[in-house]
Amino acid sequence: MSAAGRDIFRWSAVASFFACYATMMLGGEVLASGSGLGCATWPSCNGSFTPPFVGAAAIEWSHRLGAFTLSVFVTILFVSALLFERRRPTMIRLASLAFSSVLLEALLGGVVVESRLTVWLVVLHFAVATALLGFLGLIVLLGNMPHLPKRWIDWARRAATDMPPAPPRPAPADPLPGRPVPGEPPWGQPSGPRSAG
């Protein structure tokens, strides 16, 4: 496995993660602005792949363009995992989950539009997107772990370990009978200055 191949994998993971996050933010804007039917057909926008970029159609089409970009990055991630990550099967499994989630998201996006924004389908669409973001975040973490500074790894290990509280320090040994503790007045003598009279 070449170092260049592993770099393609880990940088495509980073790109996929941020593309997913941006697409989810655009999806939130679609929901908040009520633009879900700004493009009433799928995969085209009102019968066109170059719709006028205004109003609700612009917001919904931006979300779809973000989803398309995300799909491209996740496809690169999946292919690079198959080609360059054979010694790390966990990476292949996670990349497969991410790729499957992107395909499911694309299908759900079309079903959501065709159903005229049925609520439970919208919720399912968001839930799959959230799972995808989690898969990608885990891939980014594991894929880049060999390149993280050692102090970050040490901090993460300490934070994840259930460390018992430190035992209390032992009290200093008592002095021999009749001998004062260093720094304290002898037995039976007041610690402050004697008052006059």
Side-chain angles (χ1 to χ4, degrees):
M1 176 185 55
S2 67
R6 180 160 283 185
D7 286 344
I8 291 172
F9 173 78
R10 65 193 189 90
W11 286 113
S12 63
V14 172
S16 298
F17 178 84
F18 284 107
C20 184
Y21 181 78
T23 303
M24 290 178 70
M25 293 300 99
L26 289 169
E29 178 61 23
V30 168
L31 187 63
S33 63
S35 303
L37 293 177
C39 294
T41 60
W42 188 90
S44 65
C45 183
N46 302 323
S48 172
F49 286 97
T50 56
F53 211 67
V54 292
I59 296 173
E60 170 63 15
W61 193 244
S62 295
H63 175 58
R64 293 192 191 181
L65 290 177
F68 174 76
T69 303
L70 169 62
S71 300
V72 170
F73 284 139
V74 172
T75 300
I76 295 171
L77 173 69
F78 177 59
V79 172
S80 64
L82 294 177
L83 293 176
F84 307 121
E85 294 294 338
R86 293 175 185 168
R87 293 174 59 187
R88 296 196 293 181
T90 298
M91 297 293 98
I92 295 177
R93 286 193 289 270
L94 287 170
S96 300
L97 285 171
F99 185 70
S100 301
S101 298
V102 162
L103 294 179
L104 180 58
E105 273 293 85
L107 293 174
L108 277 173
V111 172
V112 165
V113 172
E114 295 299 325
S115 73
R116 315 302 288 181
L117 308 182
T118 300
V119 172
W120 73 268
L121 287 171
V122 173
V123 172
L124 181 61
H125 187 55
F126 177 73
V128 173
T130 303
L132 173 59
L133 187 68
F135 295 145
L136 293 173
L138 193 54
I139 293 170
V140 169
L141 176 63
L142 297 178
N144 287 280
M145 193 168 286
H147 304 275
L148 295 177
K150 184 177 182 301
R151 66 180 182 277
W152 293 9
I153 304 297
D154 291 342
W155 175 87
R157 285 181 178 146
R158 287 195 305 271
T161 303
D162 187 12
M163 298 288 289
R169 290 188 174 187
D174 291 331
L176 295 174
R179 294 189 181 182
V181 176
E184 293 186 5
W187 295 107
Q189 293 187 12
S191 58
R194 288 179 174 273
S195 59

